[in-house]
């Protein structure tokens, strides 16, 4: 696998983005008081919008807006509170950027309102298995779907890739039953989501290329995760260099989209990875047979 196989991710409101030929960055915009590394920094609409616009200026093609922290042990919020946090941000961004807008939610009603407000993508951290109505919403509106693997609230299989297949095949069956076309879907193996040890996350990194079995674009979301801290000894706000290193390594294993806090440092790391992949492809093209 070269990592440069191009495909188009078709998303809502008649938009699309080419994936594979070069890395695509999805910027994290947490409109929350309690997210694990930046809780409270972008809690107001103005702060969240300015942060999102800066991320686009730094190189993000997608901004992912979330209104509920998904860190382990975080308190859940009501649907109305989640919607009050995210919808004004999406509405404001719709008129100020051409970047794609993603809503980070596992609730179909929040997803419906967000797509109506201008979101192009629904990023579901429960992979359609908490509220299958998200699949129906995507089929009805043409919104893009990011389907994430999680080990939360269930027993996992011992083998890290076998568990990915066990979970994601069910998610894809839900999407297919709802009528979602495969060109609307990106898969996320869910680093840190009930992968409790550094060793489990590192094995998932090491075997990431095995996820090509699904034939769909892959998203890598390692940003500031705890396993990076276990390796480097750094606290969450200081893990951007480790994140960029992991992004580059996962790019070489076929990841196409990278969900990150710090866009600029990941943009540079991924530019090097993209350039190396292009150089490798050019060498293979010229090499005598």
């Amino acid at each position: 696998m070269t990592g440069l196989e191009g495909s188009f991710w078709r998303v809502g409101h008649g938009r699309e983005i080419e994936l594979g030929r070069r890395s695509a960055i999805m910027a994290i915009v947490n409109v929350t008081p309690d997210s694990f590394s930046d809780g409270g920094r972008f809690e107001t609409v103005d702060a969240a919008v300015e942060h999102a616009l800066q991320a686009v200026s730094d190189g993000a093609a997608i901004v992912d807006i979330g209104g509920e922290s998904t860190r382990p042990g975080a308190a859940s919020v009501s649907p109305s509170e989640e919607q009050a946090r995210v919808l004004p941000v999406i509405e404001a961004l719709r008129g100020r950027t051409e970047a794609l807008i993603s809503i980070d939610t596992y609730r179909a009603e929040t997803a419906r309102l967000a797509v109506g407000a201008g979101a192009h993508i629904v990023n579901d951290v429960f992979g359609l298995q908490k509220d299958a109505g998200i699949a129906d919403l995507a089929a009805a509106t043409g919104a893009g779907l990011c389907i994430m693997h999680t080990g939360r609230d269930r027993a996992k299989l011992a083998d890290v890739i076998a568990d990915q297949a066990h979970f994601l095949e069910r998610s894809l069956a839900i999407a297919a039953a709802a009528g979602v076309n495969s060109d609307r879907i990106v898969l996320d193996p869910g680093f840190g989501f009930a992968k409790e040890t550094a060793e489990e996350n590192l094995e998932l990194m090491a075997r990431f290329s095995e996820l090509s079995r699904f034939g769909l674009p892959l998203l890598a979301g390692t940003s500031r995760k705890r396993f990076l801290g276990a390796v480097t000894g750094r606290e969450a706000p200081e893990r951007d260099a480790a994140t960029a290193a992991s992004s580059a390594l996962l790019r070489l294993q076929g990841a196409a989209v990278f969900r990150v806090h710090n866009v600029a440092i990941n943009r540079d790391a991924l530019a090097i990875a993209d350039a190396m992949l292009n150089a490798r492809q050019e060498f293979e093209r010229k090499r005598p047979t």
Side-chain angles (χ1 to χ4, degrees):
M1 171 179 289
T2 66
L4 295 176
E5 295 82 1
S7 63
F8 283 91
W9 186 12
R10 315 228 181 244
V11 300
H13 305 292
R15 298 285 301 278
E16 64 185 21
I17 179 172
E18 187 175 9
L19 299 180
R21 297 192 187 279
R22 59 183 303 228
S23 303
I25 294 178
M26 173 188 278
I28 298 167
V29 181
N30 289 320
V31 195
T32 60
D34 57 347
S35 291
F36 78 96
S37 79
D38 59 1
R41 290 190 61 198
F42 313 113
E43 198 173 354
T44 69
V45 172
D46 287 346
V49 168
E50 290 308 312
H51 176 58
L53 293 175
Q54 183 60 55
V56 173
S57 178
D58 287 342
I62 307 164
V63 290
D64 189 41
I65 315 299
E68 179 177 329
S69 174
T70 54
R71 65 176 174 81
S76 63
V77 301
S78 68
S80 60
E81 176 64 20
E82 178 189 36
Q83 292 153 20
R85 292 174 179 179
V86 300
L87 294 177
V89 177
I90 293 168
E91 290 165 354
L93 284 172
R94 178 178 59 185
R96 297 186 62 182
T97 181
E98 288 299 307
L100 298 178
I101 301 170
S102 170
I103 174 64
D104 180 356
T105 187
Y106 54 85
R107 297 183 176 97
E109 179 62 11
T110 299
R112 183 186 70 79
L113 293 170
V115 171
H120 306 91
I121 296 161
V122 182
N123 179 16
D124 182 359
V125 299
F126 280 96
L128 310 179
Q129 296 187 37
K130 200 173 190 71
D131 188 344
I134 287 179
D136 297 323
L137 180 279
T141 64
L145 271 182
C146 183
I147 295 174
M148 198 194 80
H149 172 281
T150 184
R152 292 180 181 176
D153 303 332
R154 65 181 182 86
K156 295 191 301 180
L157 301 180
D159 182 83
V160 65
I161 299 299
D163 194 67
Q164 290 280 326
H166 173 74
F167 183 90
L168 291 173
E169 284 167 4
R170 182 182 178 200
S171 295
L172 290 171
I174 293 169
V180 179
N181 292 332
S182 61
D183 62 0
R184 304 278 170 181
I185 297 171
V186 162
L187 298 180
D188 176 356
F191 286 97
F193 279 77
K195 288 84 172 170
E196 302 297 346
T197 66
E199 290 76 16
E200 186 176 0
N201 286 280
L202 290 166
E203 181 180 350
L204 182 55
M205 275 190 67
R207 299 176 63 190
F208 189 89
S209 63
E210 294 180 46
L211 300 176
S212 64
R213 66 196 289 175
F214 293 104
L216 293 167
L218 300 171
L219 182 150
T222 60
S223 192
R224 299 180 182 172
K225 291 291 174 75
R226 184 171 54 186
F227 81 95
L228 298 178
V231 173
T232 64
R234 295 190 179 276
E235 296 300 317
E238 301 174 334
R239 296 173 189 161
D240 289 336
T243 299
S246 66
S247 293
L249 290 168
L250 289 165
R251 176 62 175 148
L252 301 185
Q253 294 219 61
V257 184
F258 300 84
R259 184 177 181 273
V260 302
H261 295 87
N262 184 325
V263 172
I265 192 171
N266 282 274
R267 176 200 63 208
D268 288 355
L270 289 165
I272 297 299
D274 285 348
M276 196 215 77
L277 287 170
N278 276 287
R280 177 191 292 168
Q281 187 177 66
E282 185 65 13
F283 171 74
E284 294 293 340
R285 186 183 69 81
K286 291 179 178 179
R287 184 165 60 178
T289 57

